[in-house]
Amino acid sequence: MTPAPQPLIASLVPSAFSELGNQSITRIYIPLFNTKFTRMYSFMGGGLFCASVANILLVVSTVTDYWMQYRLAGTFARQGLWRYCWAGKCYAQMESIAYWNATRAFMILSALACFAGIITGILSFAQFSTFQHFNRAFAAGILFFASTLFVLLAMAIYTGVTVNVLGKRLDDWRFSWSYILGWVALLMTFFAGIFYMCAYRMHECQRLAGVR
């Protein structure tokens, strides 16, 4: 049997090692890429979860009548942003009081901004699949932070007026669960914004690394 020429063997061996090396690199690169991909999706999923809970809490907090409870004429009464209840009956808040109007407006704006952020965040999943222009995630994070700012203004106004004005006129009073839900919603919208900004930053780092 005639042995193969040496130059042909020499040319095949480096090619075989090259193919093996490419396969190894591919096997290593794909899991790393998928891991980063999964982390970004995890951040986005966590942000959507926080935002969805926050939006529910914002709506419930805004429409319910348990922002404040107090004793009036020996009977416990309660009030929300739209009604006050006393002796088993509820009455609409007909007075146009500035701090009530401001609290209502900021709570509604917060719920709307949070809902818009949820829609934008969901759309960012479809855009993210192309791994291009991850601006929707950034926009969702901004909307969640805007929602946080609005609910913070609402809670600050209501708290300041209640403590400094109403609290001094009433002997036995306390904040109730509708008010507490507002603060919980604030934390949830803030965390939603953080999650989406982290996802956006991870995408930007990946994109810059790919450019280099």
Side-chain angles (χ1 to χ4, degrees):
M1 182 181 295
T2 305
Q6 185 66 24
L8 180 59
I9 296 177
S11 62
L12 290 176
V13 172
S15 176
F17 277 106
S18 178
E19 292 179 2
L20 180 59
N22 290 336
Q23 292 176 0
S24 300
I25 292 172
T26 303
R27 291 173 182 171
I28 294 172
Y29 175 73
I30 290 177
L32 290 177
F33 179 79
N34 289 338
T35 300
K36 293 181 179 179
F37 213 82
T38 303
R39 287 178 182 176
M40 283 182 276
Y41 271 123
S42 298
F43 277 120
M44 293 165 63
L48 277 181
F49 173 77
C50 291
S52 300
V53 173
N55 206 35
I56 295 172
L57 295 181
L58 285 170
V59 172
V60 173
S61 175
T62 303
V63 302
T64 50
D65 306 321
Y66 287 86
W67 279 66
M68 179 182 179
Q69 290 182 313
Y70 52 92
R71 186 180 292 275
L72 183 64
T75 304
F76 272 108
R78 68 180 189 270
Q79 72 174 25
L81 300 180
W82 311 94
R83 300 189 308 173
Y84 65 94
C85 301
W86 178 65
K89 295 182 180 181
C90 294
Y91 309 90
Q93 302 269 20
M94 303 302 296
E95 301 87 354
S96 180
I97 302 176
Y99 91 96
W100 272 343
N101 293 335
T103 304
R104 294 168 185 166
F106 284 127
M107 289 297 290
I108 292 173
L109 287 174
S110 179
L112 291 176
C114 186
F115 182 74
I118 291 173
I119 299 301
T120 307
I122 293 173
L123 293 177
S124 68
F125 275 92
Q127 189 182 41
F128 181 61
S129 62
T130 62
F131 208 65
Q132 296 175 355
H133 305 298
F134 202 50
N135 293 333
R136 288 179 187 171
F138 180 79
I142 293 298
L143 286 169
F144 292 141
F145 284 138
S147 178
T148 303
L149 176 62
F150 288 140
V151 70
L152 176 62
L153 291 173
M155 302 306 294
I157 292 171
Y158 188 88
T159 302
V161 174
T162 301
V163 171
N164 294 320
V165 179
L166 297 180
K168 294 180 180 180
R169 298 178 181 178
L170 301 172
D171 295 330
D172 187 7
W173 68 276
R174 65 179 181 272
F175 292 116
S176 194
W177 57 266
S178 297
Y179 171 84
I180 296 172
L181 289 182
W183 286 111
V184 177
L186 184 149
L187 293 176
M188 298 300 283
T189 55
F190 178 74
F191 285 128
I194 291 293
F195 281 138
Y196 263 87
M197 284 303 177
C198 288
Y200 171 75
R201 290 302 302 165
M202 289 186 70
H203 171 267
E204 285 299 299
C205 292
Q206 182 68 20
R207 184 178 64 84
L208 293 175
V211 171
R212 293 177 185 176

